[in-house]
C-alpha cells in the first residue's frame, strides 16, 4: 500500500543519501512535509520530490538546500506546469530568490503560498505575483522596501482570504486601504508590529472588509491606543463577530 502523506519534519538525513535515492516512486502521495530537515543536498531534494509527482501540499520550511532549482523542479513537471500543487510552504527558506517567484506565479492553481522569512526575496518577487486562485499568502519578514509591491500583488491576487503582512512596516495608511479595497473577500489579516496605521485608517479598513473575522494588531501602537473606540465602532455596526487580537 502506498502512503498518501509523509511527515519528516526535523529529520537529519546526513549520511543517509542511499535512503533518499532508494525511496520508491509513489503516485498516491499528496502531502509532503519536510520542515526543518537537515543534511539533504539540493540534488537529493530534487530527486526525492521527483518520486512524488502527484503532490498537492509541499512544505520545505527552513531547508537550506532548497534553491531556485528546487522550486523549478516543483513547478515544472516534464516541461509542463504542475497543476496538482495547491499549497507551497517555504517559511525560512533563505536560498530562494525572485526567480522562484517567477516560477511560482506560473502555477495558476496554487491556493496557498507561505514565504515568511524568505530573506532572498525582494519587492520584485512580491510585485510579480499574479495568482487569481490564491486564497492565502504569508510574507512576514520578507525584506521589502516599498509597500507598492504589496498593493500591486493585491490587485493581481484579488481572491486572497488570509493575508499575513506582519512586520511589514513599509505599509502606511493609504497602502492598507488600497490593499483592503482590492481584497474585499479577506477574512483573516495579520498586521502585527505595524506602527504606522492610525485608528481612523483601521476603522475605515473595517468598513471595507465586510467578511473579516480576525485581525492581529499586536505591536500596532497607534491602533492599540484606541482599541476601545474601535471595539465600540464594531458593536455600533453589529459586527461583534470580528475578533481583534491586540496582545
Amino acid at each position: 500500500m502506498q502512503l498518501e502523506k509523509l511527515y519528516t519534519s526535523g529529520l537529519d538525513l546526513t549520511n543517509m543519501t542511499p535512503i533518499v535515492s532508494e525511496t520508491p516512486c509513489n503516485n498516491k502521495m499528496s502531502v509532503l512535509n519536510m520542515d526543518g530537515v537537515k543534511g539533504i543536498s539540493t540534488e537529493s531534494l530534487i530527486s526525492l520530490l521527483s518520486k512524488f509527482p502527484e503532490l498537492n501540499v509541499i512544505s520545505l520550511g527552513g531547508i537550506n538546500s532548497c534553491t531556485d532549482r528546487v522550486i523549478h523542479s516543483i513547478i515544472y513537471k516534464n516541461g509542463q506546469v504542475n497543476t496538482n500543487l495547491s499549497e507551497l510552504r517555504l517559511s525560512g527558506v533563505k536560498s530562494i530568490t525572485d526567480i522562484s517567484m517567477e516560477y511560482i506565479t506560473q502555477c495558476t492553481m496554487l491556493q496557498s503560498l507561505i514565504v515568511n522569512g524568505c530573506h532572498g526575496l525582494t519587492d520584485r518577487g512580491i510585485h510579480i505575483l499574479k495568482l487569481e486562485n490564491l486564497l492565502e499568502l504569508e510574507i512576514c519578514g520578507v525584506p521589502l522596501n516599498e509597500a507598492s509591491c504589496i498593493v500591486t500583488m493585491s490587485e493581481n491576487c484579488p481572491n486572497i482570504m488570509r493575508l499575513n503582512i506582519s512586520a511589514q512596516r513599509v505599509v502606511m495608511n493609504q497602502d492598507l486601504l488600497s490593499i483592503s479595497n482590492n481584497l474585499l473577500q479577506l477574512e483573516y489579516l495579520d498586521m502585527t508590529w505595524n506602527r504606522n496605521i492610525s485608528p481612523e485608517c483601521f476603522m475605515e479598513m473595517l468598513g471595507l472588509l465586510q467578511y473579516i473575522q480576525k485581525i492581529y494588531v499586536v505591536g500596532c501602537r497607534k491602533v492599540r491606543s484606541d482599541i476601545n473606540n474601535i471595539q465600540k465602532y464594531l458593536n455600533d455596526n453589529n459586527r461583534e463577530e470580528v475578533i481583534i487580537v491586540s496582545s
Side-chain angles (χ1 to χ4, degrees), residues 62-102:
I63 298 182
N64 294 330
S65 58
C66 181
T67 64
D68 294 330
R69 287 181 57 221
V70 173
I71 303 304
H72 183 276
S73 74
I74 291 172
I75 301 303
Y76 295 99
K77 301 291 184 182
N78 299 317
Q80 301 295 320
V81 174
N82 184 352
T83 57
N84 294 316
L85 191 65
S86 60
E87 296 184 32
L88 183 58
R89 306 169 185 165
L90 303 169
S91 289
V93 175
K94 296 179 173 58
S95 300
I96 63 170
T97 70
D98 295 338
I99 293 173
S100 285
M101 300 301 266
E102 292 179 11

Side-chain angles (χ1 to χ4, degrees), residues 7-11 33-37:
Y7 297 86
T8 63
S9 302
L11 191 65
N33 186 329
M34 296 181 65
D35 288 349
V37 165

Side-chain angles (χ1 to χ4, degrees), residues 103-118:
Y103 301 148
I104 290 169
T105 201
Q106 301 301 314
C107 193
T108 55
M109 301 309 293
L110 196 67
Q111 295 182 2
S112 177
L113 176 61
I114 313 297
V115 291
N116 295 331
C118 292

Side-chain angles (χ1 to χ4, degrees), residues 8-247:
T8 63
S9 302
L11 191 65
D12 191 340
L13 295 179
T14 305
N15 300 321
M16 297 176 69
T17 302
I19 292 179
V20 174
S21 61
E22 293 170 10
T23 299
C25 291
N26 185 334
N27 291 325
K28 291 187 177 180
M29 185 78 71
S30 62
V31 177
L32 178 64
N33 186 329
M34 296 181 65
D35 288 349
V37 165
K38 302 174 183 178
I40 186 169
S41 68
T42 297
E43 295 298 335
S44 293
L45 184 55
I46 291 173
S47 175
L48 184 63
L49 288 165
S50 70
K51 297 176 184 292
F52 311 126
E54 302 299 323
L55 287 171
N56 302 129
V57 178
I58 300 176
S59 191
L60 304 175
I63 298 182
N64 294 330
S65 58
C66 181
T67 64
D68 294 330
R69 287 181 57 221
V70 173
I71 303 304
H72 183 276
S73 74
I74 291 172
I75 301 303
Y76 295 99
K77 301 291 184 182
N78 299 317
Q80 301 295 320
V81 174
N82 184 352
T83 57
N84 294 316
L85 191 65
S86 60
E87 296 184 32
L88 183 58
R89 306 169 185 165
L90 303 169
S91 289
V93 175
K94 296 179 173 58
S95 300
I96 63 170
T97 70
D98 295 338
I99 293 173
S100 285
M101 300 301 266
E102 292 179 11
Y103 301 148
I104 290 169
T105 201
Q106 301 301 314
C107 193
T108 55
M109 301 309 293
L110 196 67
Q111 295 182 2
S112 177
L113 176 61
I114 313 297
V115 291
N116 295 331
C118 292
H119 295 164
L121 300 181
T122 70
D123 294 46
R124 180 176 174 274
I126 304 304
H127 186 276
I128 62 177
L129 273 182
K130 188 173 184 180
L131 296 166
E132 292 191 1
N133 290 306
L134 195 67
L135 303 178
E136 178 180 33
L137 177 65
E138 296 192 10
I139 57 172
C140 169
V142 175
L144 302 179
N145 293 314
E146 297 183 4
S148 59
C149 64
I150 306 178
V151 174
T152 300
M153 175 280 300
S154 67
E155 294 172 352
N156 294 329
C157 307
N159 294 307
I160 289 177
M161 301 172 70
R162 297 175 61 88
L163 178 65
N164 184 341
I165 53 172
S166 60
Q168 293 297 350
R169 299 183 182 181
V170 295
V171 177
M172 301 297 178
N173 286 330
Q174 189 53 52
D175 302 316
L176 185 64
L177 292 177
S178 296
I179 294 167
S180 301
N181 199 48
N182 292 330
L183 302 179
L184 296 177
Q185 305 300 314
L186 206 61
E187 295 180 357
Y188 170 99
L189 174 64
D190 190 338
M191 48 180 280
T192 300
W193 296 109
N194 188 315
R195 298 176 177 175
N196 304 316
I197 305 305
S198 69
E200 294 77 16
C201 170
F202 190 81
M203 284 188 276
E204 187 173 348
M205 177 195 73
L206 288 172
L208 291 169
L209 301 177
Q210 291 298 305
Y211 297 99
I212 198 72
Q213 297 175 10
K214 196 171 191 177
I215 308 176
Y216 283 84
V217 296
V218 177
C220 301
R221 184 171 52 198
K222 295 178 181 178
V223 172
R224 292 181 70 232
S225 69
D226 206 19
I227 199 70
N228 290 334
N229 279 334
I230 291 172
Q231 197 60 58
K232 183 178 183 300
Y233 167 85
L234 290 171
N235 293 339
D236 290 346
N237 287 275
N238 298 315
R239 299 184 64 188
E240 293 87 350
E241 76 283 356
V242 179
I243 299 173
I244 309 294
V245 181
S246 60
S247 61

